[in-house]
Amino acid sequence: MEKIAMLGGGSWATALTKILSENGARVDWWLRSKDDVQHLLRTRHNPRYLSAVQFDLNRVYPTTDLTDAVEEADWLVLAVPAAYVQPVLDKLDRDLLKHKKVISAIKGMIPGKNQLVTDYVAERFKLGRHQLGVIAGPCHAEEVALEKQSYLTIGSPDAGLALEFCELLRNRYVRAYPAQDLDGIEYCAVMKNIIALTGGIAHGVGYGDNFLAVLVSNAVQEIRRFLQAISPQPRDLSASAYLGDLLVTAYSQFSRNRTFGSMVGRGYSVKSAQLEMNMVAEGYFAVKSIHELNKKLKVNMPITEAAYNILYERISPAVEMELLKEKLR
């Protein structure tokens, strides 16, 4: 039986715990809230997210003890918001992950450091890239909970690690495939949230599906330019790990980044939108990180810059969208 430490109590952590435990793995599930752990132990349901999912407590072990959850694990799966990765992982001994495999299920960057999650983990715990992987692809947690057909990509420089984790995930409604483009897949997962957020702003301001289609097609070009500058190598951006993830995040009713952007476009402040959603929209933090990285790269990124101007420079969404529409083709 594979032993997996799952860090995070949100919808994606809940969905992954469902998949992995039902496939026979032992999951030591770290949650920050004692009340949530007690609720899970009492009812076998997560009280906050995907509460219809029922867990087998002979395979799933909820806990608030971080070291206890991680210590005996073969795999560590990170599914906390990117903004909380550093404060959570800094509580762990640096040698604790020495021989473990670490999978990031986070589609965001470390705020302030402007660093990919896998890069931070490698630096903090002195891990080799062959120990790291990332989960990507068009796969909303809500649909996984409903057992809708879904596709995942596991990106890792180590083909064996990627394939091994794919096997832990595959079932009748989840297909998983390995890929070796760790950086490209992880950066794209970050950037698609920015695009979805900007599409949401456009929707909130009053733009329609025609504009969103143009925005997304321009976004593919923007992502390609950025990836070529920061991590140049041949890659097919039409693959589901890239384009598929972008499309579902830009268009789906479950997209928290699109929802967040739509609220901002309709006049909500950033803080009020965050409070009302009660969920983290990774794109908000990602916009600043990518903007900071691009100060050196100087890539043409009009969509990212429009989002940055609205969220951080407090430019009117209506005014900024008027400027952006002149830059799209």
Side-chain angles (χ1 to χ4, degrees):
M1 182 184 292
E2 292 288 305
K3 295 180 181 177
I4 298 167
M6 178 67 63
L7 271 56
S11 56
W12 197 210
T14 304
L16 288 171
T17 298
K18 167 184 165 64
I19 297 169
L20 293 163
S21 63
E22 288 179 356
N23 280 355
R26 172 189 170 120
V27 181
D28 287 277
W29 189 3
W30 177 81
L31 301 97
R32 185 172 52 179
S33 167
K34 290 181 180 179
D35 290 342
D36 290 355
V37 168
Q38 290 303 314
H39 187 95
L40 268 160
L41 291 172
R42 188 173 65 254
T43 70
R44 299 189 290 166
H45 298 274
N46 185 341
R48 297 176 187 266
Y49 301 96
L50 307 183
S51 54
V53 177
Q54 183 171 294
F55 295 97
D56 180 352
L57 296 183
N58 292 313
R59 290 180 178 169
V60 176
Y61 298 85
T63 181
T64 57
D65 189 323
L66 184 62
T67 299
D68 188 54
V70 173
E71 203 162 23
E72 298 299 321
D74 305 304
W75 300 82
L76 174 61
V77 178
L78 303 174
V80 297
Y84 303 142
V85 169
Q86 187 174 356
V88 168
L89 292 187
D90 281 356
K91 297 174 184 175
L92 292 174
D93 186 278
R94 287 179 183 270
D95 292 329
L96 193 58
L97 304 189
K98 194 172 183 179
H99 301 295
K100 300 187 190 303
K101 293 162 279 192
V102 180
I103 301 291
S104 173
I106 303 165
K107 298 180 178 182
M109 299 183 74
I110 308 296
K113 288 181 172 288
N114 305 324
Q115 212 175 13
L116 293 175
V117 171
T118 56
D119 286 343
Y120 169 72
V121 171
E123 179 186 278
R124 158 85 181 154
F125 296 98
K126 302 294 187 285
L127 302 185
R129 284 174 63 81
H130 66 280
Q131 293 174 262
L132 303 169
V134 62
I135 301 176
C139 194
H140 281 306
E142 292 82 358
E143 289 200 358
V144 170
L146 294 170
E147 301 188 356
K148 301 280 190 181
Q149 186 64 54
S150 301
Y151 293 75
L152 291 172
T153 300
I154 307 303
S156 175
D158 188 306
L161 179 148
L163 186 58
E164 192 177 351
F165 201 75
C166 284
E167 292 297 332
L168 292 174
L169 292 170
R170 287 173 178 155
N171 60 24
R172 64 177 177 80
Y173 59 91
V174 174
R175 297 191 178 190
Y177 300 96
Q180 291 187 279
D181 181 21
L182 176 64
D183 289 348
I185 288 172
E186 196 167 3
Y187 273 119
C188 189
V190 169
M191 291 190 66
K192 57 93 181 180
N193 285 331
I194 298 173
I195 307 308
L197 191 155
T198 310
I201 292 173
H203 178 265
V205 168
Y207 289 77
D209 291 344
N210 292 344
F211 180 81
L212 183 58
V214 173
L215 181 80
V216 170
S217 60
N218 277 259
V220 174
Q221 300 168 48
E222 184 164 317
I223 292 169
R224 180 180 290 112
R225 290 192 296 268
F226 180 79
L227 291 181
Q228 193 57 31
I230 203 164
S231 177
Q233 71 174 67
R235 51 174 64 93
D236 180 7
L237 290 188
S238 66
S240 65
Y242 310 97
L243 180 58
D245 205 358
L246 171 61
L247 291 175
V248 78
T249 308
Y251 284 96
S252 174
Q253 62 177 320
F254 296 124
S255 171
R256 64 188 68 177
N257 287 283
R258 180 185 162 108
T259 300
F260 175 80
S262 182
M263 293 171 75
V264 170
R266 296 200 312 271
Y268 283 72
S269 69
V270 167
K271 189 170 185 63
S272 61
Q274 288 171 328
L275 287 171
E276 184 157 323
M277 283 182 63
N278 195 33
M279 299 173 86
V280 174
E282 293 281 16
Y284 171 72
F285 301 101
V287 166
K288 189 172 184 181
S289 291
I290 297 297
H291 171 81
E292 292 294 325
L293 288 174
N294 199 40
K295 284 182 178 179
K296 292 182 180 179
L297 298 171
K298 300 189 184 305
V299 175
N300 179 28
M301 302 181 72
I303 301 172
T304 300
E305 290 309 304
Y308 179 83
N309 288 339
I310 293 167
L311 297 177
Y312 291 93
E313 298 294 343
R314 298 185 179 180
I315 304 297
S316 160
V319 169
E320 192 63 40
M321 285 296 108
E322 280 291 319
L323 295 172
L324 177 61
K325 78 179 187 181
E326 296 302 322
K327 300 174 185 177
L328 304 181
R329 295 288 184 270

PDB file of all heavy atoms in Angstrom, residues 255-271:
ATOM      1  N   SER A 255     -14.951  27.669 -12.296  1.00  0.00           N
ATOM      2  CA  SER A 255     -13.681  28.391 -12.239  1.00  0.00           C
ATOM      3  C   SER A 255     -13.741  29.527 -11.219  1.00  0.00           C
ATOM      4  O   SER A 255     -14.420  30.532 -11.421  1.00  0.00           O
ATOM      5  CB  SER A 255     -13.330  28.961 -13.618  1.00  0.00           C
ATOM      6  OG  SER A 255     -12.214  29.821 -13.523  1.00  0.00           O
ATOM      7  N   ARG A 256     -13.001  29.383 -10.140  1.00  0.00           N
ATOM      8  CA  ARG A 256     -13.015  30.426  -9.112  1.00  0.00           C
ATOM      9  C   ARG A 256     -12.304  31.694  -9.606  1.00  0.00           C
ATOM     10  O   ARG A 256     -12.641  32.800  -9.180  1.00  0.00           O
ATOM     11  CB  ARG A 256     -12.389  29.917  -7.817  1.00  0.00           C
ATOM     12  CG  ARG A 256     -10.927  29.561  -7.903  1.00  0.00           C
ATOM     13  CD  ARG A 256     -10.429  28.894  -6.639  1.00  0.00           C
ATOM     14  NE  ARG A 256     -11.013  27.577  -6.476  1.00  0.00           N
ATOM     15  CZ  ARG A 256     -10.700  26.748  -5.472  1.00  0.00           C
ATOM     16  NH1 ARG A 256      -9.831  27.121  -4.561  1.00  0.00           N
ATOM     17  NH2 ARG A 256     -11.253  25.556  -5.383  1.00  0.00           N
ATOM     18  N   ASN A 257     -11.316  31.531 -10.502  1.00  0.00           N
ATOM     19  CA  ASN A 257     -10.616  32.700 -11.033  1.00  0.00           C
ATOM     20  C   ASN A 257     -11.530  33.511 -11.944  1.00  0.00           C
ATOM     21  O   ASN A 257     -11.551  34.742 -11.886  1.00  0.00           O
ATOM     22  CB  ASN A 257      -9.355  32.264 -11.776  1.00  0.00           C
ATOM     23  CG  ASN A 257      -8.273  31.809 -10.825  1.00  0.00           C
ATOM     24  OD1 ASN A 257      -7.600  32.604 -10.204  1.00  0.00           O
ATOM     25  ND2 ASN A 257      -8.140  30.489 -10.681  1.00  0.00           N
ATOM     26  N   ARG A 258     -12.300  32.841 -12.782  1.00  0.00           N
ATOM     27  CA  ARG A 258     -13.269  33.556 -13.624  1.00  0.00           C
ATOM     28  C   ARG A 258     -14.319  34.242 -12.742  1.00  0.00           C
ATOM     29  O   ARG A 258     -14.697  35.388 -12.983  1.00  0.00           O
ATOM     30  CB  ARG A 258     -13.930  32.590 -14.603  1.00  0.00           C
ATOM     31  CG  ARG A 258     -14.958  33.281 -15.503  1.00  0.00           C
ATOM     32  CD  ARG A 258     -15.693  32.298 -16.391  1.00  0.00           C
ATOM     33  NE  ARG A 258     -16.911  32.890 -16.905  1.00  0.00           N
ATOM     34  CZ  ARG A 258     -17.106  33.280 -18.158  1.00  0.00           C
ATOM     35  NH1 ARG A 258     -16.147  33.153 -19.042  1.00  0.00           N
ATOM     36  NH2 ARG A 258     -18.248  33.803 -18.544  1.00  0.00           N
ATOM     37  N   THR A 259     -14.797  33.535 -11.722  1.00  0.00           N
ATOM     38  CA  THR A 259     -15.793  34.106 -10.820  1.00  0.00           C
ATOM     39  C   THR A 259     -15.247  35.342 -10.110  1.00  0.00           C
ATOM     40  O   THR A 259     -15.916  36.381 -10.022  1.00  0.00           O
ATOM     41  CB  THR A 259     -16.232  33.056  -9.784  1.00  0.00           C
ATOM     42  OG1 THR A 259     -16.801  31.939 -10.466  1.00  0.00           O
ATOM     43  CG2 THR A 259     -17.244  33.636  -8.807  1.00  0.00           C
ATOM     44  N   PHE A 260     -14.031  35.225  -9.613  1.00  0.00           N
ATOM     45  CA  PHE A 260     -13.382  36.347  -8.926  1.00  0.00           C
ATOM     46  C   PHE A 260     -13.249  37.548  -9.872  1.00  0.00           C
ATOM     47  O   PHE A 260     -13.585  38.682  -9.520  1.00  0.00           O
ATOM     48  CB  PHE A 260     -12.000  35.911  -8.428  1.00  0.00           C
ATOM     49  CG  PHE A 260     -11.185  37.008  -7.811  1.00  0.00           C
ATOM     50  CD1 PHE A 260     -11.402  37.410  -6.509  1.00  0.00           C
ATOM     51  CD2 PHE A 260     -10.186  37.645  -8.540  1.00  0.00           C
ATOM     52  CE1 PHE A 260     -10.641  38.423  -5.937  1.00  0.00           C
ATOM     53  CE2 PHE A 260      -9.427  38.654  -7.983  1.00  0.00           C
ATOM     54  CZ  PHE A 260      -9.654  39.048  -6.670  1.00  0.00           C
ATOM     55  N   GLY A 261     -12.775  37.294 -11.099  1.00  0.00           N
ATOM     56  CA  GLY A 261     -12.620  38.364 -12.068  1.00  0.00           C
ATOM     57  C   GLY A 261     -13.947  39.019 -12.413  1.00  0.00           C
ATOM     58  O   GLY A 261     -14.039  40.254 -12.531  1.00  0.00           O
ATOM     59  N   SER A 262     -14.989  38.213 -12.558  1.00  0.00           N
ATOM     60  CA  SER A 262     -16.306  38.746 -12.884  1.00  0.00           C
ATOM     61  C   SER A 262     -16.805  39.677 -11.788  1.00  0.00           C
ATOM     62  O   SER A 262     -17.410  40.728 -12.065  1.00  0.00           O
ATOM     63  CB  SER A 262     -17.298  37.604 -13.102  1.00  0.00           C
ATOM     64  OG  SER A 262     -18.568  38.089 -13.465  1.00  0.00           O
ATOM     65  N   MET A 263     -16.542  39.324 -10.547  1.00  0.00           N
ATOM     66  CA  MET A 263     -16.952  40.177  -9.428  1.00  0.00           C
ATOM     67  C   MET A 263     -16.205  41.509  -9.460  1.00  0.00           C
ATOM     68  O   MET A 263     -16.797  42.569  -9.257  1.00  0.00           O
ATOM     69  CB  MET A 263     -16.713  39.444  -8.105  1.00  0.00           C
ATOM     70  CG  MET A 263     -17.612  38.227  -7.920  1.00  0.00           C
ATOM     71  SD  MET A 263     -17.166  37.218  -6.487  1.00  0.00           S
ATOM     72  CE  MET A 263     -17.778  38.252  -5.165  1.00  0.00           C
ATOM     73  N   VAL A 264     -14.910  41.450  -9.741  1.00  0.00           N
ATOM     74  CA  VAL A 264     -14.116  42.681  -9.836  1.00  0.00           C
ATOM     75  C   VAL A 264     -14.632  43.543 -10.993  1.00  0.00           C
ATOM     76  O   VAL A 264     -14.779  44.763 -10.873  1.00  0.00           O
ATOM     77  CB  VAL A 264     -12.617  42.353 -10.021  1.00  0.00           C
ATOM     78  CG1 VAL A 264     -11.812  43.608 -10.366  1.00  0.00           C
ATOM     79  CG2 VAL A 264     -12.063  41.697  -8.760  1.00  0.00           C
ATOM     80  N   GLY A 265     -14.935  42.895 -12.124  1.00  0.00           N
ATOM     81  CA  GLY A 265     -15.467  43.621 -13.275  1.00  0.00           C
ATOM     82  C   GLY A 265     -16.795  44.297 -12.981  1.00  0.00           C
ATOM     83  O   GLY A 265     -17.112  45.349 -13.548  1.00  0.00           O
ATOM     84  N   ARG A 266     -17.583  43.696 -12.083  1.00  0.00           N
ATOM     85  CA  ARG A 266     -18.892  44.261 -11.739  1.00  0.00           C
ATOM     86  C   ARG A 266     -18.801  45.336 -10.655  1.00  0.00           C
ATOM     87  O   ARG A 266     -19.809  45.908 -10.269  1.00  0.00           O
ATOM     88  CB  ARG A 266     -19.846  43.152 -11.271  1.00  0.00           C
ATOM     89  CG  ARG A 266     -20.158  42.129 -12.347  1.00  0.00           C
ATOM     90  CD  ARG A 266     -21.430  41.348 -12.041  1.00  0.00           C
ATOM     91  NE  ARG A 266     -21.512  40.841 -10.697  1.00  0.00           N
ATOM     92  CZ  ARG A 266     -21.058  39.654 -10.293  1.00  0.00           C
ATOM     93  NH1 ARG A 266     -20.447  38.845 -11.156  1.00  0.00           N
ATOM     94  NH2 ARG A 266     -21.211  39.266  -9.042  1.00  0.00           N
ATOM     95  N   GLY A 267     -17.583  45.568 -10.150  1.00  0.00           N
ATOM     96  CA  GLY A 267     -17.408  46.667  -9.205  1.00  0.00           C
ATOM     97  C   GLY A 267     -17.001  46.280  -7.801  1.00  0.00           C
ATOM     98  O   GLY A 267     -16.798  47.153  -6.954  1.00  0.00           O
ATOM     99  N   TYR A 268     -16.885  44.987  -7.509  1.00  0.00           N
ATOM    100  CA  TYR A 268     -16.405  44.573  -6.191  1.00  0.00           C
ATOM    101  C   TYR A 268     -14.946  44.995  -6.014  1.00  0.00           C
ATOM    102  O   TYR A 268     -14.161  44.959  -6.962  1.00  0.00           O
ATOM    103  CB  TYR A 268     -16.447  43.050  -6.054  1.00  0.00           C
ATOM    104  CG  TYR A 268     -17.804  42.441  -5.800  1.00  0.00           C
ATOM    105  CD1 TYR A 268     -18.770  42.382  -6.793  1.00  0.00           C
ATOM    106  CD2 TYR A 268     -18.110  41.890  -4.559  1.00  0.00           C
ATOM    107  CE1 TYR A 268     -20.015  41.806  -6.573  1.00  0.00           C
ATOM    108  CE2 TYR A 268     -19.350  41.295  -4.317  1.00  0.00           C
ATOM    109  CZ  TYR A 268     -20.288  41.258  -5.336  1.00  0.00           C
ATOM    110  OH  TYR A 268     -21.499  40.680  -5.105  1.00  0.00           O
ATOM    111  N   SER A 269     -14.585  45.361  -4.807  1.00  0.00           N
ATOM    112  CA  SER A 269     -13.164  45.516  -4.504  1.00  0.00           C
ATOM    113  C   SER A 269     -12.533  44.133  -4.414  1.00  0.00           C
ATOM    114  O   SER A 269     -13.237  43.128  -4.247  1.00  0.00           O
ATOM    115  CB  SER A 269     -12.973  46.253  -3.175  1.00  0.00           C
ATOM    116  OG  SER A 269     -13.398  45.432  -2.086  1.00  0.00           O
ATOM    117  N   VAL A 270     -11.207  44.074  -4.520  1.00  0.00           N
ATOM    118  CA  VAL A 270     -10.503  42.793  -4.407  1.00  0.00           C
ATOM    119  C   VAL A 270     -10.836  42.134  -3.077  1.00  0.00           C
ATOM    120  O   VAL A 270     -11.159  40.946  -3.013  1.00  0.00           O
ATOM    121  CB  VAL A 270      -8.979  42.997  -4.555  1.00  0.00           C
ATOM    122  CG1 VAL A 270      -8.222  41.745  -4.121  1.00  0.00           C
ATOM    123  CG2 VAL A 270      -8.624  43.346  -6.000  1.00  0.00           C
ATOM    124  N   LYS A 271     -10.776  42.899  -1.998  1.00  0.00           N
ATOM    125  CA  LYS A 271     -11.010  42.329  -0.660  1.00  0.00           C
ATOM    126  C   LYS A 271     -12.429  41.803  -0.510  1.00  0.00           C
ATOM    127  O   LYS A 271     -12.644  40.704   0.013  1.00  0.00           O
ATOM    128  CB  LYS A 271     -10.709  43.381   0.411  1.00  0.00           C
ATOM    129  CG  LYS A 271     -10.708  42.823   1.828  1.00  0.00           C
ATOM    130  CD  LYS A 271     -10.165  43.832   2.810  1.00  0.00           C
ATOM    131  CE  LYS A 271     -10.035  43.245   4.211  1.00  0.00           C
ATOM    132  NZ  LYS A 271      -9.086  42.137   4.276  1.00  0.00           N
TER     133      LYS A 271
END
